[in-house]
Each structure stands twice: as C-alpha cells, then as structure tokens.
Amino acid sequence: MLIVIVMYVLGIETSCDETSAAVLNDGKIKSNIISSQLVHQQYGGIVPELASRAHQRLIVPVVDEALQAAGIKKHQLGGVAVTYGPGLMGALLVGLSFAKAVAYGLKIPFIGINHMEAHMYSNFIDDPKPDYPFLCLIVSGGHTQLVYVTEPLHHQLLGETLDDAAGEAYDKVAKMLGLGFPGGPIIDKLAKEGNPNFIKFPRTYLNADSYDFSFSGIKTSVLYWLKDNNLYYSNPIPTMPGQISNQLLIDICASFQAAMVDMLVEKTQRAVKNLKVKNVAIAGGVSANSELRLRLQTCADINSFRLFIPDFQYCTDNGAMIAQLGWMKLKVGIKSDSSLNAVPNLSLSSHP
Ligand code: KG4
Ligand code: ZN
C-alpha cells in the first residue's frame, strides 16, 4: 500500500446549511470553523437557492478563518478534502469548486468525501477511538443509517430509514408545534421538563430481523393527536406557542422524544446482539440528543459494550470530520480526479 505523508489537510463542508472549514495536522484537528446559515429559520426549513448563495458569500471568510485559527498559511497545506455528496446540488458545488481551485492553485491532492461516511469517522477525531469492527448509528437531518464498520475505510450498510430521517421527523414535528428550525435541539430542550408517558405514540419496528427504520408513522400520529385535540391550525400557519399551554407542549415533546429514542435504541441493541459487537458509535446531528445519549449509555453499561459519541461540535455538520476522513484516505494514497462532480444522492457504498 502506498503511504503518503500529508501534514496539513483542509476540510470543507457545504452540503446543506452549514459552511464549514477545518484544518487538521497529522491527525489532530487544529481549527473547525462552522457558520450556520440563519437565513432559513424564517422559512421553517432549508431553501436550497438561499443556501448556495450563502455558501458563496461565506466560503472565503470561513476558510481564511480556519487557516488563521490553525496558525498556518495556505501554502503549508498538503491536501484538501471536500464533501461531494450527498446534499443539495448547488450547495455542494460551491465547496467542491472551491476545493478544486485551491488544490489546483497549490498543486496539492484533493479528495472528494462522502458526507455520511465522514459523520461515521467523526468518532475518530478525539480519543478514545472505537476499535474495529464497530457499529455506527448515523442519525442526521437527511439520513438514518445503521452501519457495520469492519476495518478502516470498509463498511457495510445494515439498514436505513424507509421514509423520513430521524432529524427530519424532529424538524417536522417542531414545525407542527410552531417551534423554530431546526427543531431537534428545541424539542430536546423542552422534552427534558415533560412527561414521556403523557401520550403513547406508536413505535415502528418493522419485522423482527430488520435493521431498517420508519419515522413517518410517528410524525403522522403527532399530527393526528394535535388535530383530534383541536391544537393544529395548518392555515395560515401551524400551531404557535401560546396556543398550546406550556405544560402540554413539553409533555408532547417528551412523549415524541421517548418514542423516537425507543426506536433508535431498539434497532441498535438488536444489531449489537446479533453481530456481537463490543464497540458502538453514534454520529450526525441527532447524536447531539441528550436522551439518545443517555439511553444508549445505559444500554452500553447493561450489555457491556463501549459507546462512542462525538463532541457536540462534531455531531452536526462540520469541516473537521471531512478533514479527518480526507486525511485517513490521503495518507493511504486515495485521492480524487479533478473531474469529480457533486452527487446529491450519493450512497454510502460509493467511493470517489
Ligand atoms: O448532521 P446534521 O447537522 O445535518 C445533516 O447531515 O442532515 O443534522 C441536522 C439534524 C436536524 O434535523 C436537527 O434537528 C437535528 O440534526 N438535531 C437534533 C439535535 N441537534 C440537532 N435532533 C435531536 N436532538 C438534538 N439535540
Ligand atoms: Zn450531516
């Protein structure tokens, strides 16, 4: 195997609504700058065209800040890693074009990174790191996947959501409740004060040997519960806080969160038992969820497996995980051709 020494790697992430750049030096993250686009909040979801424009405006200052925070000049970079999918086409193209230009200008290698694979390897940024093989539950705004990572850079997709992603369910339910966007962190915060047994929302487990997920049922159940209780006004806008009493709101959030976490933990536990894994990692925006972290840790203590959870800044979209996986690939000689295009629906099994 060709071993290449790459000291400084720049990681760039622009797949959705975070413009982020990070610098890694020999396996250690030196800076991780994340600019979250607030422009989408007023629309209750991401507006692709606005995301592309914001990335264009932010990419140069964010990369400059990442270099400055790492204390290096751009000519010191040894490689550039960038997300090329999955994500929004226009948003991906901003980061990809920028990374190609940097690599071409500095005559250094560049590598296209699969965003979901990078989420998995966010668990390798800090110590302790998982031992191989390990199981990874990736829970983000666009994906929910259970992956078996057999050895470095090799994995097998065990199951994924058949409809909505976990984060998407959080965001949609938050919208129904008139809460802001993104909904995950808001529901998580409110749920802490509420009664998780207030409403018994349905849990969808599919068949006994399935590692797939389905979250559209719970989303619809919340909607019908609100409608049945005259608490949902879709026209002109969903329920606003104040129309639902505060106590009711926190109880609905707690009940919804309890059902979501039950489904995620049950599938993970099933895979742990069947595959007899001793190391489990979680990744993606929803891995920031307090109840999911707590419940999985309890499950780990009972079932004697080690649980790995990335630091909060590496759960949601960030350049550090792109730099991390980029470095792991570049150092074993894997790089991309300058003809690499953005792939909005890139699957986890694709390689550049
Ligand atoms: O990984 P990520 O930043 O972007 C994608 O790749 O999609 O994930 C964003 C998702 C959003 O749906 C957001 O609501 C959710 O992660 N999220 C959370 C929490 N923090 C972020 N969901 C539940 N609890 C949280 N604390
Ligand atoms: Zn993500």
Side-chain angles (χ1 to χ4, degrees):
M1 186 186 287
L2 176 65
I3 304 292
V4 183
I5 304 298
V6 189
M7 293 302 278
Y8 285 104
V9 175
L10 174 66
I12 297 176
E13 158 61 37
T14 65
S15 68
C16 198
D17 60 338
E18 258 94 29
T19 314
S20 181
V23 172
L24 170 149
N25 179 25
D26 204 15
K28 296 263 174 295
I29 293 296
K30 296 292 169 191
S31 65
N32 182 38
I33 307 300
I34 304 172
S35 176
S36 299
Q37 303 173 0
L38 302 180
V39 62
H40 307 284
Q41 282 179 352
Q42 59 189 300
Y43 301 99
I46 294 155
V47 183
E49 179 57 30
L50 294 181
S52 313
R53 288 188 211 172
H55 285 308
Q56 276 176 337
R57 219 173 35 248
L58 291 165
I59 188 84
V60 172
V62 165
V63 169
D64 279 351
E65 200 179 330
L67 293 171
Q68 206 174 13
I72 64 160
K73 301 278 178 223
K74 59 179 182 292
H75 70 262
Q76 289 175 266
L77 289 171
V80 188
V82 61
T83 306
Y84 78 105
L88 302 167
M89 186 52 143
L92 289 165
L93 281 174
V94 176
L96 185 60
S97 316
F98 185 89
K100 282 184 188 176
V102 170
Y104 181 78
L106 296 174
K107 297 185 176 48
I108 54 175
F110 105 98
I111 171 96
I113 294 293
N114 183 319
H115 179 86
M116 302 316 294
E117 192 181 0
H119 268 306
M120 275 179 343
Y121 287 97
S122 60
N123 280 287
F124 285 75
I125 294 175
D126 290 327
D127 285 325
K129 305 178 195 331
D131 289 328
Y132 297 92
F134 69 93
L135 184 72
C136 188
L137 173 70
I138 318 175
V139 267
S140 74
H143 295 78
T144 302
Q145 295 168 321
L146 205 47
V147 186
Y148 187 46
V149 188
T150 47
E151 55 181 291
L153 310 179
H154 288 84
H155 54 259
Q156 194 184 323
L157 180 64
L158 301 176
E160 59 189 332
T161 182
L162 302 179
D163 37 57
D164 290 355
E168 192 180 352
Y170 266 95
D171 294 338
K172 286 179 177 170
V173 166
K175 197 170 179 177
M176 289 175 206
L177 294 170
L179 303 170
F181 176 84
I186 306 168
I187 291 185
D188 190 11
K189 189 161 171 251
L190 294 174
K192 283 187 186 136
E193 313 293 326
N195 173 8
N197 301 313
F198 183 70
I199 310 161
K200 186 81 183 158
F201 288 122
R203 278 76 168 150
T204 307
Y205 293 114
L206 305 169
N207 55 49
D209 52 359
S210 169
Y211 295 123
D212 288 332
F213 301 87
S214 170
F215 299 112
S216 64
I218 183 169
K219 179 191 68 185
T220 313
S221 296
V222 176
L223 179 65
Y224 280 118
W225 192 91
L226 292 173
K227 282 188 173 172
D228 290 349
N229 289 279
N230 292 323
L231 289 167
Y232 183 77
Y233 309 94
S234 59
N235 196 4
I237 44 167
T239 305
M240 296 296 289
Q243 289 171 318
I244 296 184
S245 76
N246 204 35
Q247 185 59 48
L248 192 53
L249 187 63
I250 58 178
D251 287 342
I252 296 169
C253 288
S255 302
F256 165 73
Q257 175 143 297
M260 288 296 295
V261 171
D262 272 356
M263 290 186 269
L264 292 168
V265 171
E266 163 64 27
K267 292 284 162 138
T268 308
Q269 212 169 349
R270 202 178 272 185
V272 167
K273 283 199 177 127
N274 291 347
L275 297 164
K276 298 184 177 51
V277 286
K278 290 281 166 218
N279 289 253
V280 177
I282 57 173
V286 185
S287 67
N289 186 270
S290 57
E291 183 65 15
L292 179 65
R293 289 171 168 234
L294 209 67
R295 287 276 306 281
L296 277 175
Q297 190 55 62
T298 308
C299 181
D301 295 342
I302 294 169
N303 296 290
S304 307
F305 62 81
R306 295 165 74 211
L307 181 68
F308 298 86
I309 307 175
D311 189 74
F312 280 109
Q313 61 171 320
Y314 306 133
C315 287
T316 44
D317 292 349
N318 65 88
M321 66 184 191
I322 308 300
Q324 170 69 32
L325 182 55
W327 174 72
M328 289 173 72
K329 292 199 171 198
L330 286 169
K331 73 177 177 166
V332 294
I334 305 172
K335 53 185 184 166
S336 299
D337 191 84
S338 60
S339 63
L340 182 75
N341 204 353
V343 184
N345 60 352
L346 185 69
S347 81
L348 196 56
S349 51
S350 307
H351 295 284

